[in-house]
Each structure stands twice: as structure tokens, then as C-alpha cells.
Amino acid sequence: MIHCCSQGITAEGIQSVADALYLHTSVNELILAHNSLGDKGVMLLEPALRGLRMLDLRHCCFGGQGTSHLAAVLKHAHCKLEVLRLDGNKVSGGSLSRGLLGNESLRELHLAHTDIGDEGLDNLCTVLPAAKTLAYLDISSCNIQRLSGLTLVVADAFHGIQDKAMLQEEFHGAIPDCAAHLQVLKLRDNGLSDEELQGLGEALQENSLLQDLDLAGNQVYVQTLQSLAPATVLQKLCLFNCKMDQEAAEQVVASLEAGGYSNLQELDLSGNNIEAAQMQALLQSLQHQDRAPALKVLILGGNPAGHSTAFEEHVAKARAARPSLDIAWQANDPGQTAS
């Protein structure tokens, strides 16, 4: 591993890093986060990157041209890259999508705070089903308001590939066998509407492989919760700081009592506006072993509830009824596993 995070490296000094990669061919991880490489720096690095398995270029001050050089790395026949972190750069979704076409190594793509927007996401969605190994996608804080293309990808629908002409050109007329393989999707802090989130929840009820969904920082209403509850594929759901009110909290309880969230292993409801009465109803419901039977972690901190002896008693009863359920409910409470 070469770790050069925050070392003041610029395009003028990046050649030494490239030379080190050429010299030490066993190096498979490169961390250059928080250096001002710019487009030129990424261009100089490009030929030396093809043997890496992990590349961290967070906040490296590059844009569309740099993205194009990284796409060339992804398209290379001998590309081994499995994890690519580009958070905090001005990434071009169109350029990156060209690199993802036919790539058979990338497992994780981190694009948080890149402001790819709706157009950039649409470009990515045209080719995501062809990125056969990609299982993890983080598009948090990307100024995304429209999920129509992504819901088709999540539902593992071939018609999620909108630009078939581009695929035919890229693969010389033969469209590859395409199926989405996303298992982890991070959508934090995008200000998504309830209609968009409801559509995503409905997509999860289709032939989806998505197991981990992070909606933190987006406002979640009853309709979205209703669409998420039947998604048996979900194992981890983060609803931190989703401005959930009492009606939303009551919907969670109603879904649990109706058999929803049947395979959920972790549920994060922290940082919302859930009052004591609704929180107590939730804990009482979870005392029944058949309510979310797979649940192992429940995070409740940062809600108005939790400042009374009565509430603490409900937490204690839930923990006693389900010893395998780790309940973290105070602001800095990691759960009973730490006690």
C-alpha cells in the first residue's frame, strides 16, 4: 500500500508516485485523498494505475478530464481495480459510464459529494446493469432528485439500460447479458421526494438483490415506509435524520405487526422526531419474536423519546424478551454489547 493522504501533492509532484507504482508492482492499494492533483495529475497517473485493486482519490480537485482518464483505466482489458473512491470531485457521469461498460473487476464505487446530479445518474444507470461485478454504490449528497433510472436498475430490469445503441456500439453489435448486482446503495442527503423514494421501495419488491439501503437525510413519509416494508431482500435500512414524525413511526409499528421487514437485520431510526408514545409502541411490538424476526440491531438515539424512567423500562423489557437484539437508544449508546 502507498498511503499519501493530505501530503500536499500536486500534478507537478505526482510523477514520483507513478514511478513508485512502476517500480513496486506488488502495490495494490493507493491512497491519495485530499491532494490537489487536478486533471493533469490524474492524467499522469493513468498508465500506472492498471495493476491496483483499490484507488482512493477523494477530494483531489479533478473534473471531467480526470474522470475520462480514470474511465480509460476501468476499460483496460487488464484492469484489476475493485474499489474506486472519487468522493468530493467534479466527476462526469457520462465519462465514468463509458469506463463501466464491460468492466469486470469493480466492486465498489464511491461518488459522494460529486454533484453528478440527475443527468450524471441517468448516464450511469444506462450502463450499471452491464457492470457485472459492481455491488456497492454511494451517491450521497450528489444533488439527485430523480430516481426513475435507478429504480429500474435496482429492480434488475434489463430495460433499465436506456441507451441500447451505445451498448451495441461499444460491444460491436452484441449487447451483453446484463443484470444488476447492486447490494449496497447509499443515497444520503439528496433531498429526494416521497414519490421517488416510494418508487424505489416498490422496485425492491421486484427481482432485486439490494440488501443495504441508506436513506439518511432524506425526508421519509408513510408511503415510502409502506413500500419498503414488504421488501424481503432488505437486511439493513438506515433512516437516520429522515424527519420521521409520529405518523411515520406508527407506520413502522403497523408494518412490523403485519409481518413487514421480515429479513431486516439492522434498523436505524435515530435522529428523528419520534416521541415517547410511538417509541414505546415500537419496543412493545418488538418484544414479540415474530416481529422482524431477523433483527439484530436497533438504533434509536437522538429522538425526543428516551428521557423517562418509563421509557427505560420499555427498553429493558425489549432487551429481556429478545436477548439477541442489540438496542442503542441514547445519543452515545452503542447498545448492550458494550456493557
PDB file of all heavy atoms in Angstrom, residues 270-304:
ATOM      1  N   SER A 270     -32.548   6.616  14.274  1.00  0.00           N
ATOM      2  CA  SER A 270     -32.010   7.678  15.116  1.00  0.00           C
ATOM      3  C   SER A 270     -32.139   9.051  14.468  1.00  0.00           C
ATOM      4  O   SER A 270     -32.285   9.173  13.250  1.00  0.00           O
ATOM      5  CB  SER A 270     -30.537   7.395  15.447  1.00  0.00           C
ATOM      6  OG  SER A 270     -29.760   7.351  14.261  1.00  0.00           O
ATOM      7  N   GLY A 271     -32.098  10.084  15.318  1.00  0.00           N
ATOM      8  CA  GLY A 271     -32.099  11.460  14.822  1.00  0.00           C
ATOM      9  C   GLY A 271     -33.399  11.919  14.207  1.00  0.00           C
ATOM     10  O   GLY A 271     -33.399  12.827  13.379  1.00  0.00           O
ATOM     11  N   ASN A 272     -34.518  11.320  14.586  1.00  0.00           N
ATOM     12  CA  ASN A 272     -35.818  11.712  14.048  1.00  0.00           C
ATOM     13  C   ASN A 272     -36.652  12.446  15.108  1.00  0.00           C
ATOM     14  O   ASN A 272     -36.111  12.914  16.109  1.00  0.00           O
ATOM     15  CB  ASN A 272     -36.545  10.482  13.512  1.00  0.00           C
ATOM     16  CG  ASN A 272     -35.956  10.003  12.196  1.00  0.00           C
ATOM     17  OD1 ASN A 272     -36.072  10.666  11.171  1.00  0.00           O
ATOM     18  ND2 ASN A 272     -35.295   8.845  12.218  1.00  0.00           N
ATOM     19  N   ASN A 273     -37.950  12.544  14.874  1.00  0.00           N
ATOM     20  CA  ASN A 273     -38.837  13.281  15.779  1.00  0.00           C
ATOM     21  C   ASN A 273     -39.837  12.343  16.446  1.00  0.00           C
ATOM     22  O   ASN A 273     -41.009  12.696  16.627  1.00  0.00           O
ATOM     23  CB  ASN A 273     -39.580  14.378  15.001  1.00  0.00           C
ATOM     24  CG  ASN A 273     -38.638  15.343  14.316  1.00  0.00           C
ATOM     25  OD1 ASN A 273     -37.669  15.794  14.915  1.00  0.00           O
ATOM     26  ND2 ASN A 273     -38.914  15.656  13.053  1.00  0.00           N
ATOM     27  N   ILE A 274     -39.384  11.158  16.790  1.00  0.00           N
ATOM     28  CA  ILE A 274     -40.273  10.143  17.349  1.00  0.00           C
ATOM     29  C   ILE A 274     -40.433  10.376  18.853  1.00  0.00           C
ATOM     30  O   ILE A 274     -39.455  10.394  19.604  1.00  0.00           O
ATOM     31  CB  ILE A 274     -39.728   8.726  17.078  1.00  0.00           C
ATOM     32  CG1 ILE A 274     -39.507   8.540  15.569  1.00  0.00           C
ATOM     33  CG2 ILE A 274     -40.694   7.684  17.615  1.00  0.00           C
ATOM     34  CD1 ILE A 274     -38.870   7.216  15.209  1.00  0.00           C
ATOM     35  N   GLU A 275     -41.679  10.541  19.279  1.00  0.00           N
ATOM     36  CA  GLU A 275     -41.982  10.807  20.682  1.00  0.00           C
ATOM     37  C   GLU A 275     -42.068   9.499  21.470  1.00  0.00           C
ATOM     38  O   GLU A 275     -42.055   8.398  20.912  1.00  0.00           O
ATOM     39  CB  GLU A 275     -43.306  11.573  20.784  1.00  0.00           C
ATOM     40  CG  GLU A 275     -43.307  12.922  20.084  1.00  0.00           C
ATOM     41  CD  GLU A 275     -42.485  13.975  20.827  1.00  0.00           C
ATOM     42  OE1 GLU A 275     -42.099  13.711  21.984  1.00  0.00           O
ATOM     43  OE2 GLU A 275     -42.248  15.048  20.250  1.00  0.00           O
ATOM     44  N   ALA A 276     -42.196   9.656  22.781  1.00  0.00           N
ATOM     45  CA  ALA A 276     -42.143   8.509  23.687  1.00  0.00           C
ATOM     46  C   ALA A 276     -43.237   7.481  23.406  1.00  0.00           C
ATOM     47  O   ALA A 276     -42.986   6.270  23.413  1.00  0.00           O
ATOM     48  CB  ALA A 276     -42.228   8.988  25.136  1.00  0.00           C
ATOM     49  N   ALA A 277     -44.470   7.949  23.148  1.00  0.00           N
ATOM     50  CA  ALA A 277     -45.587   7.015  22.957  1.00  0.00           C
ATOM     51  C   ALA A 277     -45.342   6.088  21.768  1.00  0.00           C
ATOM     52  O   ALA A 277     -45.553   4.867  21.849  1.00  0.00           O
ATOM     53  CB  ALA A 277     -46.883   7.788  22.765  1.00  0.00           C
ATOM     54  N   GLN A 278     -44.879   6.649  20.644  1.00  0.00           N
ATOM     55  CA  GLN A 278     -44.629   5.834  19.452  1.00  0.00           C
ATOM     56  C   GLN A 278     -43.397   4.942  19.647  1.00  0.00           C
ATOM     57  O   GLN A 278     -43.367   3.804  19.174  1.00  0.00           O
ATOM     58  CB  GLN A 278     -44.437   6.734  18.235  1.00  0.00           C
ATOM     59  CG  GLN A 278     -45.708   7.381  17.712  1.00  0.00           C
ATOM     60  CD  GLN A 278     -46.210   8.493  18.605  1.00  0.00           C
ATOM     61  OE1 GLN A 278     -45.410   9.155  19.272  1.00  0.00           O
ATOM     62  NE2 GLN A 278     -47.517   8.703  18.633  1.00  0.00           N
ATOM     63  N   MET A 279     -42.401   5.445  20.351  1.00  0.00           N
ATOM     64  CA  MET A 279     -41.214   4.630  20.600  1.00  0.00           C
ATOM     65  C   MET A 279     -41.539   3.453  21.510  1.00  0.00           C
ATOM     66  O   MET A 279     -41.066   2.338  21.302  1.00  0.00           O
ATOM     67  CB  MET A 279     -40.119   5.492  21.230  1.00  0.00           C
ATOM     68  CG  MET A 279     -38.749   4.845  21.186  1.00  0.00           C
ATOM     69  SD  MET A 279     -38.082   4.767  19.504  1.00  0.00           S
ATOM     70  CE  MET A 279     -37.456   6.427  19.318  1.00  0.00           C
ATOM     71  N   GLN A 280     -42.361   3.712  22.499  1.00  0.00           N
ATOM     72  CA  GLN A 280     -42.762   2.624  23.391  1.00  0.00           C
ATOM     73  C   GLN A 280     -43.587   1.583  22.640  1.00  0.00           C
ATOM     74  O   GLN A 280     -43.428   0.370  22.869  1.00  0.00           O
ATOM     75  CB  GLN A 280     -43.546   3.200  24.560  1.00  0.00           C
ATOM     76  CG  GLN A 280     -42.676   3.992  25.524  1.00  0.00           C
ATOM     77  CD  GLN A 280     -43.465   4.702  26.608  1.00  0.00           C
ATOM     78  OE1 GLN A 280     -44.646   4.410  26.821  1.00  0.00           O
ATOM     79  NE2 GLN A 280     -42.824   5.640  27.294  1.00  0.00           N
ATOM     80  N   ALA A 281     -44.448   2.033  21.740  1.00  0.00           N
ATOM     81  CA  ALA A 281     -45.234   1.091  20.934  1.00  0.00           C
ATOM     82  C   ALA A 281     -44.312   0.233  20.075  1.00  0.00           C
ATOM     83  O   ALA A 281     -44.544  -0.977  19.896  1.00  0.00           O
ATOM     84  CB  ALA A 281     -46.226   1.855  20.062  1.00  0.00           C
ATOM     85  N   LEU A 282     -43.266   0.852  19.533  1.00  0.00           N
ATOM     86  CA  LEU A 282     -42.290   0.105  18.722  1.00  0.00           C
ATOM     87  C   LEU A 282     -41.603  -0.965  19.563  1.00  0.00           C
ATOM     88  O   LEU A 282     -41.485  -2.128  19.143  1.00  0.00           O
ATOM     89  CB  LEU A 282     -41.258   1.078  18.149  1.00  0.00           C
ATOM     90  CG  LEU A 282     -40.055   0.463  17.433  1.00  0.00           C
ATOM     91  CD1 LEU A 282     -40.494  -0.267  16.171  1.00  0.00           C
ATOM     92  CD2 LEU A 282     -39.036   1.534  17.091  1.00  0.00           C
ATOM     93  N   LEU A 283     -41.162  -0.590  20.749  1.00  0.00           N
ATOM     94  CA  LEU A 283     -40.448  -1.540  21.609  1.00  0.00           C
ATOM     95  C   LEU A 283     -41.371  -2.649  22.088  1.00  0.00           C
ATOM     96  O   LEU A 283     -40.955  -3.815  22.198  1.00  0.00           O
ATOM     97  CB  LEU A 283     -39.834  -0.801  22.791  1.00  0.00           C
ATOM     98  CG  LEU A 283     -38.682   0.146  22.421  1.00  0.00           C
ATOM     99  CD1 LEU A 283     -38.319   1.032  23.602  1.00  0.00           C
ATOM    100  CD2 LEU A 283     -37.470  -0.664  21.973  1.00  0.00           C
ATOM    101  N   GLN A 284     -42.615  -2.311  22.376  1.00  0.00           N
ATOM    102  CA  GLN A 284     -43.574  -3.341  22.788  1.00  0.00           C
ATOM    103  C   GLN A 284     -43.822  -4.334  21.660  1.00  0.00           C
ATOM    104  O   GLN A 284     -43.902  -5.551  21.880  1.00  0.00           O
ATOM    105  CB  GLN A 284     -44.889  -2.688  23.217  1.00  0.00           C
ATOM    106  CG  GLN A 284     -44.814  -1.990  24.569  1.00  0.00           C
ATOM    107  CD  GLN A 284     -46.112  -1.297  24.927  1.00  0.00           C
ATOM    108  OE1 GLN A 284     -46.880  -0.879  24.047  1.00  0.00           O
ATOM    109  NE2 GLN A 284     -46.376  -1.148  26.217  1.00  0.00           N
ATOM    110  N   SER A 285     -43.911  -3.818  20.430  1.00  0.00           N
ATOM    111  CA  SER A 285     -44.131  -4.692  19.283  1.00  0.00           C
ATOM    112  C   SER A 285     -42.963  -5.648  19.094  1.00  0.00           C
ATOM    113  O   SER A 285     -43.157  -6.836  18.795  1.00  0.00           O
ATOM    114  CB  SER A 285     -44.341  -3.850  18.025  1.00  0.00           C
ATOM    115  OG  SER A 285     -44.573  -4.674  16.906  1.00  0.00           O
ATOM    116  N   LEU A 286     -41.763  -5.144  19.283  1.00  0.00           N
ATOM    117  CA  LEU A 286     -40.570  -5.966  19.059  1.00  0.00           C
ATOM    118  C   LEU A 286     -40.312  -6.970  20.175  1.00  0.00           C
ATOM    119  O   LEU A 286     -39.418  -7.803  20.049  1.00  0.00           O
ATOM    120  CB  LEU A 286     -39.348  -5.059  18.884  1.00  0.00           C
ATOM    121  CG  LEU A 286     -39.288  -4.322  17.547  1.00  0.00           C
ATOM    122  CD1 LEU A 286     -38.144  -3.323  17.523  1.00  0.00           C
ATOM    123  CD2 LEU A 286     -39.152  -5.306  16.389  1.00  0.00           C
ATOM    124  N   GLN A 287     -41.078  -6.912  21.240  1.00  0.00           N
ATOM    125  CA  GLN A 287     -40.966  -7.953  22.260  1.00  0.00           C
ATOM    126  C   GLN A 287     -41.474  -9.296  21.733  1.00  0.00           C
ATOM    127  O   GLN A 287     -41.133 -10.348  22.268  1.00  0.00           O
ATOM    128  CB  GLN A 287     -41.740  -7.546  23.512  1.00  0.00           C
ATOM    129  CG  GLN A 287     -41.092  -6.403  24.280  1.00  0.00           C
ATOM    130  CD  GLN A 287     -41.875  -6.034  25.527  1.00  0.00           C
ATOM    131  OE1 GLN A 287     -42.464  -6.897  26.186  1.00  0.00           O
ATOM    132  NE2 GLN A 287     -41.898  -4.747  25.852  1.00  0.00           N
ATOM    133  N   HIS A 288     -42.265  -9.234  20.662  1.00  0.00           N
ATOM    134  CA  HIS A 288     -42.761 -10.460  20.029  1.00  0.00           C
ATOM    135  C   HIS A 288     -41.696 -10.988  19.073  1.00  0.00           C
ATOM    136  O   HIS A 288     -41.244 -10.278  18.173  1.00  0.00           O
ATOM    137  CB  HIS A 288     -44.063 -10.187  19.272  1.00  0.00           C
ATOM    138  CG  HIS A 288     -45.181  -9.708  20.146  1.00  0.00           C
ATOM    139  ND1 HIS A 288     -46.039 -10.564  20.789  1.00  0.00           N
ATOM    140  CD2 HIS A 288     -45.562  -8.446  20.498  1.00  0.00           C
ATOM    141  CE1 HIS A 288     -46.925  -9.871  21.489  1.00  0.00           C
ATOM    142  NE2 HIS A 288     -46.646  -8.584  21.328  1.00  0.00           N
ATOM    143  N   GLN A 289     -41.317 -12.210  19.236  1.00  0.00           N
ATOM    144  CA  GLN A 289     -40.230 -12.804  18.450  1.00  0.00           C
ATOM    145  C   GLN A 289     -40.543 -12.868  16.956  1.00  0.00           C
ATOM    146  O   GLN A 289     -39.633 -12.926  16.124  1.00  0.00           O
ATOM    147  CB  GLN A 289     -39.925 -14.219  18.966  1.00  0.00           C
ATOM    148  CG  GLN A 289     -39.479 -14.277  20.414  1.00  0.00           C
ATOM    149  CD  GLN A 289     -38.046 -13.810  20.600  1.00  0.00           C
ATOM    150  OE1 GLN A 289     -37.309 -13.642  19.639  1.00  0.00           O
ATOM    151  NE2 GLN A 289     -37.642 -13.618  21.844  1.00  0.00           N
ATOM    152  N   ASP A 290     -41.834 -12.863  16.600  1.00  0.00           N
ATOM    153  CA  ASP A 290     -42.197 -12.984  15.187  1.00  0.00           C
ATOM    154  C   ASP A 290     -42.257 -11.642  14.467  1.00  0.00           C
ATOM    155  O   ASP A 290     -42.546 -11.581  13.281  1.00  0.00           O
ATOM    156  CB  ASP A 290     -43.543 -13.700  15.040  1.00  0.00           C
ATOM    157  CG  ASP A 290     -44.684 -12.974  15.749  1.00  0.00           C
ATOM    158  OD1 ASP A 290     -44.388 -12.106  16.610  1.00  0.00           O
ATOM    159  OD2 ASP A 290     -45.856 -13.266  15.465  1.00  0.00           O
ATOM    160  N   ARG A 291     -41.971 -10.547  15.163  1.00  0.00           N
ATOM    161  CA  ARG A 291     -41.918  -9.225  14.545  1.00  0.00           C
ATOM    162  C   ARG A 291     -40.477  -8.940  14.120  1.00  0.00           C
ATOM    163  O   ARG A 291     -39.577  -8.901  14.971  1.00  0.00           O
ATOM    164  CB  ARG A 291     -42.400  -8.146  15.519  1.00  0.00           C
ATOM    165  CG  ARG A 291     -43.756  -8.466  16.176  1.00  0.00           C
ATOM    166  CD  ARG A 291     -44.922  -8.056  15.318  1.00  0.00           C
ATOM    167  NE  ARG A 291     -46.198  -8.573  15.827  1.00  0.00           N
ATOM    168  CZ  ARG A 291     -46.897  -8.023  16.816  1.00  0.00           C
ATOM    169  NH1 ARG A 291     -46.444  -6.939  17.419  1.00  0.00           N
ATOM    170  NH2 ARG A 291     -48.051  -8.552  17.181  1.00  0.00           N
ATOM    171  N   ALA A 292     -40.256  -8.770  12.833  1.00  0.00           N
ATOM    172  CA  ALA A 292     -38.892  -8.597  12.314  1.00  0.00           C
ATOM    173  C   ALA A 292     -37.969  -9.616  12.974  1.00  0.00           C
ATOM    174  O   ALA A 292     -37.015  -9.258  13.677  1.00  0.00           O
ATOM    175  CB  ALA A 292     -38.391  -7.174  12.563  1.00  0.00           C
ATOM    176  N   PRO A 293     -38.227 -10.905  12.754  1.00  0.00           N
ATOM    177  CA  PRO A 293     -37.522 -11.959  13.492  1.00  0.00           C
ATOM    178  C   PRO A 293     -36.011 -11.987  13.282  1.00  0.00           C
ATOM    179  O   PRO A 293     -35.287 -12.520  14.124  1.00  0.00           O
ATOM    180  CB  PRO A 293     -38.170 -13.244  12.957  1.00  0.00           C
ATOM    181  CG  PRO A 293     -38.729 -12.874  11.625  1.00  0.00           C
ATOM    182  CD  PRO A 293     -39.177 -11.456  11.779  1.00  0.00           C
ATOM    183  N   ALA A 294     -35.525 -11.420  12.174  1.00  0.00           N
ATOM    184  CA  ALA A 294     -34.088 -11.450  11.905  1.00  0.00           C
ATOM    185  C   ALA A 294     -33.347 -10.259  12.508  1.00  0.00           C
ATOM    186  O   ALA A 294     -32.113 -10.196  12.447  1.00  0.00           O
ATOM    187  CB  ALA A 294     -33.842 -11.491  10.396  1.00  0.00           C
ATOM    188  N   LEU A 295     -34.092  -9.301  13.095  1.00  0.00           N
ATOM    189  CA  LEU A 295     -33.492  -8.047  13.563  1.00  0.00           C
ATOM    190  C   LEU A 295     -32.462  -8.296  14.668  1.00  0.00           C
ATOM    191  O   LEU A 295     -32.739  -8.956  15.670  1.00  0.00           O
ATOM    192  CB  LEU A 295     -34.583  -7.108  14.080  1.00  0.00           C
ATOM    193  CG  LEU A 295     -34.193  -5.638  14.237  1.00  0.00           C
ATOM    194  CD1 LEU A 295     -33.822  -5.034  12.890  1.00  0.00           C
ATOM    195  CD2 LEU A 295     -35.331  -4.840  14.877  1.00  0.00           C
ATOM    196  N   LYS A 296     -31.261  -7.730  14.465  1.00  0.00           N
ATOM    197  CA  LYS A 296     -30.174  -7.879  15.438  1.00  0.00           C
ATOM    198  C   LYS A 296     -29.748  -6.549  16.045  1.00  0.00           C
ATOM    199  O   LYS A 296     -29.231  -6.516  17.161  1.00  0.00           O
ATOM    200  CB  LYS A 296     -28.967  -8.535  14.761  1.00  0.00           C
ATOM    201  CG  LYS A 296     -29.215  -9.938  14.255  1.00  0.00           C
ATOM    202  CD  LYS A 296     -27.980 -10.499  13.568  1.00  0.00           C
ATOM    203  CE  LYS A 296     -28.226 -11.907  13.044  1.00  0.00           C
ATOM    204  NZ  LYS A 296     -27.024 -12.435  12.324  1.00  0.00           N
ATOM    205  N   VAL A 297     -29.935  -5.448  15.288  1.00  0.00           N
ATOM    206  CA  VAL A 297     -29.507  -4.127  15.753  1.00  0.00           C
ATOM    207  C   VAL A 297     -30.622  -3.125  15.520  1.00  0.00           C
ATOM    208  O   VAL A 297     -31.137  -2.999  14.406  1.00  0.00           O
ATOM    209  CB  VAL A 297     -28.229  -3.659  15.018  1.00  0.00           C
ATOM    210  CG1 VAL A 297     -27.827  -2.264  15.487  1.00  0.00           C
ATOM    211  CG2 VAL A 297     -27.086  -4.641  15.241  1.00  0.00           C
ATOM    212  N   LEU A 298     -30.976  -2.382  16.584  1.00  0.00           N
ATOM    213  CA  LEU A 298     -31.987  -1.328  16.505  1.00  0.00           C
ATOM    214  C   LEU A 298     -31.388  -0.062  17.106  1.00  0.00           C
ATOM    215  O   LEU A 298     -31.015  -0.040  18.278  1.00  0.00           O
ATOM    216  CB  LEU A 298     -33.247  -1.736  17.275  1.00  0.00           C
ATOM    217  CG  LEU A 298     -34.384  -0.713  17.324  1.00  0.00           C
ATOM    218  CD1 LEU A 298     -34.927  -0.433  15.931  1.00  0.00           C
ATOM    219  CD2 LEU A 298     -35.506  -1.194  18.255  1.00  0.00           C
ATOM    220  N   ILE A 299     -31.276   0.998  16.288  1.00  0.00           N
ATOM    221  CA  ILE A 299     -30.640   2.242  16.722  1.00  0.00           C
ATOM    222  C   ILE A 299     -31.707   3.324  16.833  1.00  0.00           C
ATOM    223  O   ILE A 299     -32.371   3.655  15.857  1.00  0.00           O
ATOM    224  CB  ILE A 299     -29.540   2.666  15.727  1.00  0.00           C
ATOM    225  CG1 ILE A 299     -28.541   1.520  15.532  1.00  0.00           C
ATOM    226  CG2 ILE A 299     -28.816   3.917  16.213  1.00  0.00           C
ATOM    227  CD1 ILE A 299     -27.531   1.760  14.430  1.00  0.00           C
ATOM    228  N   LEU A 300     -31.861   3.870  18.052  1.00  0.00           N
ATOM    229  CA  LEU A 300     -32.968   4.788  18.322  1.00  0.00           C
ATOM    230  C   LEU A 300     -32.518   6.135  18.864  1.00  0.00           C
ATOM    231  O   LEU A 300     -33.348   6.992  19.149  1.00  0.00           O
ATOM    232  CB  LEU A 300     -33.932   4.146  19.345  1.00  0.00           C
ATOM    233  CG  LEU A 300     -34.543   2.797  18.957  1.00  0.00           C
ATOM    234  CD1 LEU A 300     -35.353   2.246  20.121  1.00  0.00           C
ATOM    235  CD2 LEU A 300     -35.399   2.934  17.713  1.00  0.00           C
ATOM    236  N   GLY A 301     -31.246   6.363  19.055  1.00  0.00           N
ATOM    237  CA  GLY A 301     -30.754   7.583  19.689  1.00  0.00           C
ATOM    238  C   GLY A 301     -31.138   8.847  18.948  1.00  0.00           C
ATOM    239  O   GLY A 301     -31.415   8.832  17.753  1.00  0.00           O
ATOM    240  N   GLY A 302     -31.151   9.975  19.685  1.00  0.00           N
ATOM    241  CA  GLY A 302     -31.393  11.260  19.059  1.00  0.00           C
ATOM    242  C   GLY A 302     -32.836  11.561  18.751  1.00  0.00           C
ATOM    243  O   GLY A 302     -33.131  12.446  17.947  1.00  0.00           O
ATOM    244  N   ASN A 303     -33.775  10.831  19.385  1.00  0.00           N
ATOM    245  CA  ASN A 303     -35.194  11.130  19.269  1.00  0.00           C
ATOM    246  C   ASN A 303     -35.675  11.780  20.568  1.00  0.00           C
ATOM    247  O   ASN A 303     -35.048  11.618  21.618  1.00  0.00           O
ATOM    248  CB  ASN A 303     -35.986   9.842  19.018  1.00  0.00           C
ATOM    249  CG  ASN A 303     -35.857   9.367  17.580  1.00  0.00           C
ATOM    250  OD1 ASN A 303     -36.465   9.924  16.671  1.00  0.00           O
ATOM    251  ND2 ASN A 303     -35.037   8.338  17.369  1.00  0.00           N
ATOM    252  N   PRO A 304     -36.793  12.538  20.523  1.00  0.00           N
ATOM    253  CA  PRO A 304     -37.298  13.155  21.746  1.00  0.00           C
ATOM    254  C   PRO A 304     -37.588  12.155  22.855  1.00  0.00           C
ATOM    255  O   PRO A 304     -37.507  12.485  24.034  1.00  0.00           O
ATOM    256  CB  PRO A 304     -38.588  13.852  21.279  1.00  0.00           C
ATOM    257  CG  PRO A 304     -38.379  14.101  19.837  1.00  0.00           C
ATOM    258  CD  PRO A 304     -37.567  12.944  19.340  1.00  0.00           C
TER     259      PRO A 304
END
